[in-house]
PDB file of all heavy atoms in Angstrom:
ATOM      1  N   ASP F 130       0.742  -1.208   0.022  1.00  0.00           N
ATOM      2  CA  ASP F 130       0.039   0.025   0.087  1.00  0.00           C
ATOM      3  C   ASP F 130       0.855   1.293   0.002  1.00  0.00           C
ATOM      4  O   ASP F 130       0.596   2.168   0.758  1.00  0.00           O
ATOM      5  CB  ASP F 130      -0.988   0.070   1.249  1.00  0.00           C
ATOM      6  CG  ASP F 130      -1.941  -1.116   1.182  1.00  0.00           C
ATOM      7  OD1 ASP F 130      -2.235  -1.613   0.054  1.00  0.00           O
ATOM      8  OD2 ASP F 130      -2.544  -1.459   2.237  1.00  0.00           O
ATOM      9  N   GLY F 131       1.856   1.294  -0.800  1.00  0.00           N
ATOM     10  CA  GLY F 131       2.561   2.536  -0.983  1.00  0.00           C
ATOM     11  C   GLY F 131       3.804   2.622  -0.071  1.00  0.00           C
ATOM     12  O   GLY F 131       4.720   3.397  -0.220  1.00  0.00           O
ATOM     13  N   SER F 132       3.892   1.821   0.984  1.00  0.00           N
ATOM     14  CA  SER F 132       5.140   1.821   1.842  1.00  0.00           C
ATOM     15  C   SER F 132       5.943   0.690   1.518  1.00  0.00           C
ATOM     16  O   SER F 132       5.458  -0.309   1.008  1.00  0.00           O
ATOM     17  CB  SER F 132       4.716   1.843   3.322  1.00  0.00           C
ATOM     18  OG  SER F 132       4.079   0.570   3.658  1.00  0.00           O
ATOM     19  N   ALA F 133       7.209   0.845   1.847  1.00  0.00           N
ATOM     20  CA  ALA F 133       8.155  -0.258   1.456  1.00  0.00           C
ATOM     21  C   ALA F 133       9.222  -0.315   2.556  1.00  0.00           C
ATOM     22  O   ALA F 133       9.685   0.678   3.219  1.00  0.00           O
ATOM     23  CB  ALA F 133       8.843   0.105   0.063  1.00  0.00           C
ATOM     24  N   LEU F 134       9.844  -1.559   2.673  1.00  0.00           N
ATOM     25  CA  LEU F 134      10.969  -1.795   3.543  1.00  0.00           C
ATOM     26  C   LEU F 134      12.059  -2.284   2.826  1.00  0.00           C
ATOM     27  O   LEU F 134      11.839  -3.107   1.796  1.00  0.00           O
ATOM     28  CB  LEU F 134      10.433  -2.797   4.597  1.00  0.00           C
ATOM     29  CG  LEU F 134       9.263  -2.573   5.495  1.00  0.00           C
ATOM     30  CD1 LEU F 134       9.010  -3.759   6.350  1.00  0.00           C
ATOM     31  CD2 LEU F 134       9.303  -1.292   6.207  1.00  0.00           C
ATOM     32  N   LEU F 135      13.221  -1.914   3.127  1.00  0.00           N
ATOM     33  CA  LEU F 135      14.492  -2.435   2.579  1.00  0.00           C
ATOM     34  C   LEU F 135      15.321  -3.159   3.597  1.00  0.00           C
ATOM     35  O   LEU F 135      15.588  -2.667   4.732  1.00  0.00           O
ATOM     36  CB  LEU F 135      15.380  -1.387   1.939  1.00  0.00           C
ATOM     37  CG  LEU F 135      16.772  -1.813   1.397  1.00  0.00           C
ATOM     38  CD1 LEU F 135      16.610  -2.714   0.189  1.00  0.00           C
ATOM     39  CD2 LEU F 135      17.693  -0.631   1.112  1.00  0.00           C
ATOM     40  N   VAL F 136      15.493  -4.485   3.357  1.00  0.00           N
ATOM     41  CA  VAL F 136      16.294  -5.273   4.277  1.00  0.00           C
ATOM     42  C   VAL F 136      17.612  -5.592   3.716  1.00  0.00           C
ATOM     43  O   VAL F 136      17.647  -6.123   2.619  1.00  0.00           O
ATOM     44  CB  VAL F 136      15.540  -6.580   4.690  1.00  0.00           C
ATOM     45  CG1 VAL F 136      16.380  -7.365   5.723  1.00  0.00           C
ATOM     46  CG2 VAL F 136      14.122  -6.264   5.178  1.00  0.00           C
ATOM     47  N   ALA F 137      18.681  -5.214   4.320  1.00  0.00           N
ATOM     48  CA  ALA F 137      20.079  -5.340   3.726  1.00  0.00           C
ATOM     49  C   ALA F 137      20.947  -5.975   4.928  1.00  0.00           C
ATOM     50  O   ALA F 137      21.077  -5.342   5.886  1.00  0.00           O
ATOM     51  CB  ALA F 137      20.690  -4.075   3.212  1.00  0.00           C
ATOM     52  N   ALA F 138      21.567  -7.058   4.478  1.00  0.00           N
ATOM     53  CA  ALA F 138      22.381  -7.733   5.520  1.00  0.00           C
ATOM     54  C   ALA F 138      23.676  -8.281   4.862  1.00  0.00           C
ATOM     55  O   ALA F 138      23.574  -8.868   3.814  1.00  0.00           O
ATOM     56  CB  ALA F 138      21.656  -8.887   6.219  1.00  0.00           C
ATOM     57  N   ASN F 139      24.769  -8.064   5.548  1.00  0.00           N
ATOM     58  CA  ASN F 139      26.118  -8.728   5.144  1.00  0.00           C
ATOM     59  C   ASN F 139      26.253  -9.944   5.955  1.00  0.00           C
ATOM     60  O   ASN F 139      26.550  -9.844   7.165  1.00  0.00           O
ATOM     61  CB  ASN F 139      27.209  -7.677   5.316  1.00  0.00           C
ATOM     62  CG  ASN F 139      28.518  -8.324   4.989  1.00  0.00           C
ATOM     63  OD1 ASN F 139      28.622  -9.350   4.365  1.00  0.00           O
ATOM     64  ND2 ASN F 139      29.546  -7.621   5.469  1.00  0.00           N
ATOM     65  N   LEU F 140      26.107 -11.060   5.293  1.00  0.00           N
ATOM     66  CA  LEU F 140      26.233 -12.353   6.075  1.00  0.00           C
ATOM     67  C   LEU F 140      27.646 -12.891   5.890  1.00  0.00           C
ATOM     68  O   LEU F 140      27.898 -13.955   5.421  1.00  0.00           O
ATOM     69  CB  LEU F 140      25.227 -13.339   5.621  1.00  0.00           C
ATOM     70  CG  LEU F 140      23.692 -12.922   5.712  1.00  0.00           C
ATOM     71  CD1 LEU F 140      22.705 -14.022   5.408  1.00  0.00           C
ATOM     72  CD2 LEU F 140      23.448 -12.316   7.192  1.00  0.00           C
ATOM     73  N   ASP F 141      28.646 -12.005   6.208  1.00  0.00           N
ATOM     74  CA  ASP F 141      29.954 -12.357   6.043  1.00  0.00           C
ATOM     75  C   ASP F 141      30.785 -11.668   7.119  1.00  0.00           C
ATOM     76  O   ASP F 141      30.477 -10.538   7.531  1.00  0.00           O
ATOM     77  CB  ASP F 141      30.437 -11.988   4.655  1.00  0.00           C
ATOM     78  CG  ASP F 141      31.822 -12.469   4.221  1.00  0.00           C
ATOM     79  OD1 ASP F 141      32.048 -13.726   4.095  1.00  0.00           O
ATOM     80  OD2 ASP F 141      32.757 -11.714   4.157  1.00  0.00           O
ATOM     81  N   GLY F 142      32.043 -12.150   7.355  1.00  0.00           N
ATOM     82  CA  GLY F 142      32.883 -11.599   8.324  1.00  0.00           C
ATOM     83  C   GLY F 142      33.836 -10.470   7.762  1.00  0.00           C
ATOM     84  O   GLY F 142      34.735  -9.979   8.539  1.00  0.00           O
ATOM     85  N   ALA F 143      33.704 -10.108   6.548  1.00  0.00           N
ATOM     86  CA  ALA F 143      34.532  -9.056   5.938  1.00  0.00           C
ATOM     87  C   ALA F 143      33.499  -7.889   5.439  1.00  0.00           C
ATOM     88  O   ALA F 143      32.381  -8.202   5.084  1.00  0.00           O
ATOM     89  CB  ALA F 143      35.299  -9.556   4.787  1.00  0.00           C
ATOM     90  N   PRO F 144      34.014  -6.651   5.388  1.00  0.00           N
ATOM     91  CA  PRO F 144      33.151  -5.654   4.814  1.00  0.00           C
ATOM     92  C   PRO F 144      32.812  -5.884   3.379  1.00  0.00           C
ATOM     93  O   PRO F 144      33.667  -6.441   2.626  1.00  0.00           O
ATOM     94  CB  PRO F 144      34.056  -4.377   4.964  1.00  0.00           C
ATOM     95  CG  PRO F 144      35.059  -4.669   5.926  1.00  0.00           C
ATOM     96  CD  PRO F 144      35.326  -6.247   5.789  1.00  0.00           C
ATOM     97  N   ARG F 145      31.579  -5.574   3.019  1.00  0.00           N
ATOM     98  CA  ARG F 145      31.105  -5.807   1.604  1.00  0.00           C
ATOM     99  C   ARG F 145      30.317  -4.541   1.132  1.00  0.00           C
ATOM    100  O   ARG F 145      29.490  -4.051   1.820  1.00  0.00           O
ATOM    101  CB  ARG F 145      30.213  -7.039   1.573  1.00  0.00           C
ATOM    102  CG  ARG F 145      30.836  -8.279   2.043  1.00  0.00           C
ATOM    103  CD  ARG F 145      31.942  -8.768   1.110  1.00  0.00           C
ATOM    104  NE  ARG F 145      32.557  -9.994   1.626  1.00  0.00           N
ATOM    105  CZ  ARG F 145      33.602 -10.587   0.957  1.00  0.00           C
ATOM    106  NH1 ARG F 145      33.955 -10.014  -0.210  1.00  0.00           N
ATOM    107  NH2 ARG F 145      34.150 -11.618   1.469  1.00  0.00           N
ATOM    108  N   PRO F 146      30.674  -4.026  -0.120  1.00  0.00           N
ATOM    109  CA  PRO F 146      29.964  -2.891  -0.588  1.00  0.00           C
ATOM    110  C   PRO F 146      28.552  -3.177  -1.009  1.00  0.00           C
ATOM    111  O   PRO F 146      28.283  -4.204  -1.672  1.00  0.00           O
ATOM    112  CB  PRO F 146      30.856  -2.485  -1.795  1.00  0.00           C
ATOM    113  CG  PRO F 146      31.562  -3.722  -2.220  1.00  0.00           C
ATOM    114  CD  PRO F 146      31.773  -4.550  -0.956  1.00  0.00           C
ATOM    115  N   LEU F 147      27.697  -2.331  -0.594  1.00  0.00           N
ATOM    116  CA  LEU F 147      26.306  -2.388  -1.022  1.00  0.00           C
ATOM    117  C   LEU F 147      26.100  -1.448  -2.218  1.00  0.00           C
ATOM    118  O   LEU F 147      26.406  -0.310  -2.110  1.00  0.00           O
ATOM    119  CB  LEU F 147      25.383  -1.934   0.156  1.00  0.00           C
ATOM    120  CG  LEU F 147      23.810  -2.075  -0.109  1.00  0.00           C
ATOM    121  CD1 LEU F 147      23.461  -3.504  -0.325  1.00  0.00           C
ATOM    122  CD2 LEU F 147      23.059  -1.487   1.130  1.00  0.00           C
ATOM    123  N   PRO F 148      25.725  -1.981  -3.369  1.00  0.00           N
ATOM    124  CA  PRO F 148      25.740  -1.203  -4.604  1.00  0.00           C
ATOM    125  C   PRO F 148      24.798  -0.005  -4.466  1.00  0.00           C
ATOM    126  O   PRO F 148      23.778  -0.019  -3.760  1.00  0.00           O
ATOM    127  CB  PRO F 148      25.144  -2.140  -5.619  1.00  0.00           C
ATOM    128  CG  PRO F 148      25.538  -3.437  -5.123  1.00  0.00           C
ATOM    129  CD  PRO F 148      25.404  -3.375  -3.645  1.00  0.00           C
ATOM    130  N   ALA F 149      25.255   1.174  -5.043  1.00  0.00           N
ATOM    131  CA  ALA F 149      24.529   2.417  -4.958  1.00  0.00           C
ATOM    132  C   ALA F 149      23.176   2.250  -5.484  1.00  0.00           C
ATOM    133  O   ALA F 149      22.156   2.846  -4.989  1.00  0.00           O
ATOM    134  CB  ALA F 149      25.321   3.460  -5.729  1.00  0.00           C
ATOM    135  N   ALA F 150      22.994   1.420  -6.512  1.00  0.00           N
ATOM    136  CA  ALA F 150      21.665   1.203  -7.159  1.00  0.00           C
ATOM    137  C   ALA F 150      20.639   0.642  -6.163  1.00  0.00           C
ATOM    138  O   ALA F 150      19.470   0.946  -6.244  1.00  0.00           O
ATOM    139  CB  ALA F 150      21.764   0.290  -8.384  1.00  0.00           C
ATOM    140  N   VAL F 151      21.119  -0.183  -5.275  1.00  0.00           N
ATOM    141  CA  VAL F 151      20.178  -0.729  -4.223  1.00  0.00           C
ATOM    142  C   VAL F 151      19.621   0.461  -3.356  1.00  0.00           C
ATOM    143  O   VAL F 151      18.463   0.388  -2.942  1.00  0.00           O
ATOM    144  CB  VAL F 151      20.905  -1.756  -3.391  1.00  0.00           C
ATOM    145  CG1 VAL F 151      19.995  -2.211  -2.246  1.00  0.00           C
ATOM    146  CG2 VAL F 151      21.246  -2.947  -4.345  1.00  0.00           C
ATOM    147  N   LEU F 152      20.513   1.367  -2.988  1.00  0.00           N
ATOM    148  CA  LEU F 152      20.127   2.514  -2.083  1.00  0.00           C
ATOM    149  C   LEU F 152      19.475   3.657  -2.762  1.00  0.00           C
ATOM    150  O   LEU F 152      18.999   4.545  -2.076  1.00  0.00           O
ATOM    151  CB  LEU F 152      21.332   2.945  -1.291  1.00  0.00           C
ATOM    152  CG  LEU F 152      21.905   1.966  -0.377  1.00  0.00           C
ATOM    153  CD1 LEU F 152      23.191   2.465   0.271  1.00  0.00           C
ATOM    154  CD2 LEU F 152      20.954   1.722   0.886  1.00  0.00           C
ATOM    155  N   GLU F 153      19.349   3.583  -4.058  1.00  0.00           N
ATOM    156  CA  GLU F 153      18.675   4.788  -4.778  1.00  0.00           C
ATOM    157  C   GLU F 153      17.304   4.897  -4.341  1.00  0.00           C
ATOM    158  O   GLU F 153      16.464   3.999  -4.363  1.00  0.00           O
ATOM    159  CB  GLU F 153      18.818   4.485  -6.294  1.00  0.00           C
ATOM    160  CG  GLU F 153      18.295   5.679  -7.115  1.00  0.00           C
ATOM    161  CD  GLU F 153      18.473   5.445  -8.547  1.00  0.00           C
ATOM    162  OE1 GLU F 153      19.163   4.489  -8.955  1.00  0.00           O
ATOM    163  OE2 GLU F 153      17.910   6.279  -9.375  1.00  0.00           O
ATOM    164  N   GLY F 154      16.993   6.151  -3.922  1.00  0.00           N
ATOM    165  CA  GLY F 154      15.614   6.376  -3.442  1.00  0.00           C
ATOM    166  C   GLY F 154      15.460   6.169  -1.969  1.00  0.00           C
ATOM    167  O   GLY F 154      14.274   6.405  -1.487  1.00  0.00           O
ATOM    168  N   TRP F 155      16.430   5.684  -1.216  1.00  0.00           N
ATOM    169  CA  TRP F 155      16.289   5.348   0.201  1.00  0.00           C
ATOM    170  C   TRP F 155      16.985   6.316   1.056  1.00  0.00           C
ATOM    171  O   TRP F 155      17.125   6.140   2.317  1.00  0.00           O
ATOM    172  CB  TRP F 155      16.776   4.018   0.448  1.00  0.00           C
ATOM    173  CG  TRP F 155      15.913   3.009  -0.196  1.00  0.00           C
ATOM    174  CD1 TRP F 155      16.056   2.358  -1.373  1.00  0.00           C
ATOM    175  CD2 TRP F 155      14.796   2.243   0.432  1.00  0.00           C
ATOM    176  NE1 TRP F 155      15.081   1.409  -1.591  1.00  0.00           N
ATOM    177  CE2 TRP F 155      14.312   1.282  -0.476  1.00  0.00           C
ATOM    178  CE3 TRP F 155      14.159   2.324   1.695  1.00  0.00           C
ATOM    179  CZ2 TRP F 155      13.132   0.503  -0.232  1.00  0.00           C
ATOM    180  CZ3 TRP F 155      13.051   1.599   1.963  1.00  0.00           C
ATOM    181  CH2 TRP F 155      12.577   0.657   0.918  1.00  0.00           C
ATOM    182  N   GLY F 156      17.444   7.450   0.470  1.00  0.00           N
ATOM    183  CA  GLY F 156      18.287   8.405   1.359  1.00  0.00           C
ATOM    184  C   GLY F 156      17.537   8.956   2.524  1.00  0.00           C
ATOM    185  O   GLY F 156      18.191   9.224   3.497  1.00  0.00           O
ATOM    186  N   GLY F 157      16.201   9.257   2.447  1.00  0.00           N
ATOM    187  CA  GLY F 157      15.506   9.787   3.544  1.00  0.00           C
ATOM    188  C   GLY F 157      14.741   8.769   4.314  1.00  0.00           C
ATOM    189  O   GLY F 157      13.812   9.092   5.145  1.00  0.00           O
ATOM    190  N   ALA F 158      15.059   7.517   4.132  1.00  0.00           N
ATOM    191  CA  ALA F 158      14.306   6.430   4.786  1.00  0.00           C
ATOM    192  C   ALA F 158      14.561   6.429   6.298  1.00  0.00           C
ATOM    193  O   ALA F 158      15.622   6.776   6.802  1.00  0.00           O
ATOM    194  CB  ALA F 158      14.569   5.071   4.128  1.00  0.00           C
ATOM    195  N   ARG F 159      13.601   5.875   6.986  1.00  0.00           N
ATOM    196  CA  ARG F 159      13.666   5.698   8.420  1.00  0.00           C
ATOM    197  C   ARG F 159      14.261   4.355   8.746  1.00  0.00           C
ATOM    198  O   ARG F 159      13.972   3.337   8.333  1.00  0.00           O
ATOM    199  CB  ARG F 159      12.294   5.823   9.005  1.00  0.00           C
ATOM    200  CG  ARG F 159      12.211   5.907  10.518  1.00  0.00           C
ATOM    201  CD  ARG F 159      10.806   6.086  10.997  1.00  0.00           C
ATOM    202  NE  ARG F 159      10.676   6.380  12.354  1.00  0.00           N
ATOM    203  CZ  ARG F 159       9.508   6.570  13.100  1.00  0.00           C
ATOM    204  NH1 ARG F 159       8.376   6.302  12.421  1.00  0.00           N
ATOM    205  NH2 ARG F 159       9.534   6.814  14.278  1.00  0.00           N
ATOM    206  N   VAL F 160      15.217   4.360   9.750  1.00  0.00           N
ATOM    207  CA  VAL F 160      15.828   3.134  10.286  1.00  0.00           C
ATOM    208  C   VAL F 160      14.868   2.490  11.262  1.00  0.00           C
ATOM    209  O   VAL F 160      14.521   3.131  12.318  1.00  0.00           O
ATOM    210  CB  VAL F 160      17.208   3.392  10.838  1.00  0.00           C
ATOM    211  CG1 VAL F 160      17.797   2.049  11.364  1.00  0.00           C
ATOM    212  CG2 VAL F 160      18.111   4.046   9.847  1.00  0.00           C
ATOM    213  N   LEU F 161      14.448   1.329  11.004  1.00  0.00           N
ATOM    214  CA  LEU F 161      13.562   0.513  11.916  1.00  0.00           C
ATOM    215  C   LEU F 161      14.432  -0.314  12.831  1.00  0.00           C
ATOM    216  O   LEU F 161      14.107  -0.474  14.009  1.00  0.00           O
ATOM    217  CB  LEU F 161      12.545  -0.326  11.190  1.00  0.00           C
ATOM    218  CG  LEU F 161      11.592   0.512  10.248  1.00  0.00           C
ATOM    219  CD1 LEU F 161      10.588  -0.478   9.593  1.00  0.00           C
ATOM    220  CD2 LEU F 161      10.874   1.589  11.089  1.00  0.00           C
ATOM    221  N   VAL F 162      15.472  -1.016  12.215  1.00  0.00           N
ATOM    222  CA  VAL F 162      16.180  -2.015  12.979  1.00  0.00           C
ATOM    223  C   VAL F 162      17.632  -1.964  12.432  1.00  0.00           C
ATOM    224  O   VAL F 162      17.749  -1.890  11.240  1.00  0.00           O
ATOM    225  CB  VAL F 162      15.670  -3.495  12.920  1.00  0.00           C
ATOM    226  CG1 VAL F 162      16.557  -4.452  13.607  1.00  0.00           C
ATOM    227  CG2 VAL F 162      14.283  -3.568  13.463  1.00  0.00           C
ATOM    228  N   ALA F 163      18.583  -2.087  13.314  1.00  0.00           N
ATOM    229  CA  ALA F 163      20.015  -2.194  12.837  1.00  0.00           C
ATOM    230  C   ALA F 163      20.715  -2.982  14.011  1.00  0.00           C
ATOM    231  O   ALA F 163      20.290  -2.967  15.113  1.00  0.00           O
ATOM    232  CB  ALA F 163      20.624  -0.881  12.627  1.00  0.00           C
ATOM    233  N   ASN F 164      21.893  -3.535  13.606  1.00  0.00           N
ATOM    234  CA  ASN F 164      22.608  -4.286  14.678  1.00  0.00           C
ATOM    235  C   ASN F 164      23.961  -3.616  15.015  1.00  0.00           C
ATOM    236  O   ASN F 164      24.663  -4.204  15.878  1.00  0.00           O
ATOM    237  CB  ASN F 164      22.824  -5.720  14.293  1.00  0.00           C
ATOM    238  CG  ASN F 164      23.643  -5.906  13.057  1.00  0.00           C
ATOM    239  OD1 ASN F 164      23.919  -4.983  12.344  1.00  0.00           O
ATOM    240  ND2 ASN F 164      24.131  -7.155  12.846  1.00  0.00           N
ATOM    241  N   TYR F 165      24.303  -2.475  14.445  1.00  0.00           N
ATOM    242  CA  TYR F 165      25.428  -1.716  14.930  1.00  0.00           C
ATOM    243  C   TYR F 165      24.821  -0.461  15.604  1.00  0.00           C
ATOM    244  O   TYR F 165      23.826   0.060  15.242  1.00  0.00           O
ATOM    245  CB  TYR F 165      26.307  -1.268  13.704  1.00  0.00           C
ATOM    246  CG  TYR F 165      27.365  -2.262  13.380  1.00  0.00           C
ATOM    247  CD1 TYR F 165      27.025  -3.424  12.603  1.00  0.00           C
ATOM    248  CD2 TYR F 165      28.713  -2.044  13.586  1.00  0.00           C
ATOM    249  CE1 TYR F 165      27.997  -4.392  12.191  1.00  0.00           C
ATOM    250  CE2 TYR F 165      29.675  -2.963  13.235  1.00  0.00           C
ATOM    251  CZ  TYR F 165      29.298  -4.096  12.556  1.00  0.00           C
ATOM    252  OH  TYR F 165      30.332  -4.984  12.162  1.00  0.00           O
TER     253      TYR F 165
END
């Protein structure tokens, strides 16, 4: 119904880049849950 959630997880023990295309349009999004 017009709202959307983005779930992004790095399931690895090394840093991994999240492509910019995935985050496009999410700049003003609200953080619901994070583990850092």
Side-chain angles (χ1 to χ4, degrees):
D130 297 336
S132 66
L134 308 178
L135 174 68
V136 182
N139 176 15
L140 302 187
D141 188 69
R145 300 291 175 182
L147 184 63
V151 171
L152 289 171
E153 185 176 350
W155 292 90
R159 188 179 191 182
V160 178
L161 299 182
V162 174
N164 66 345
Y165 273 74

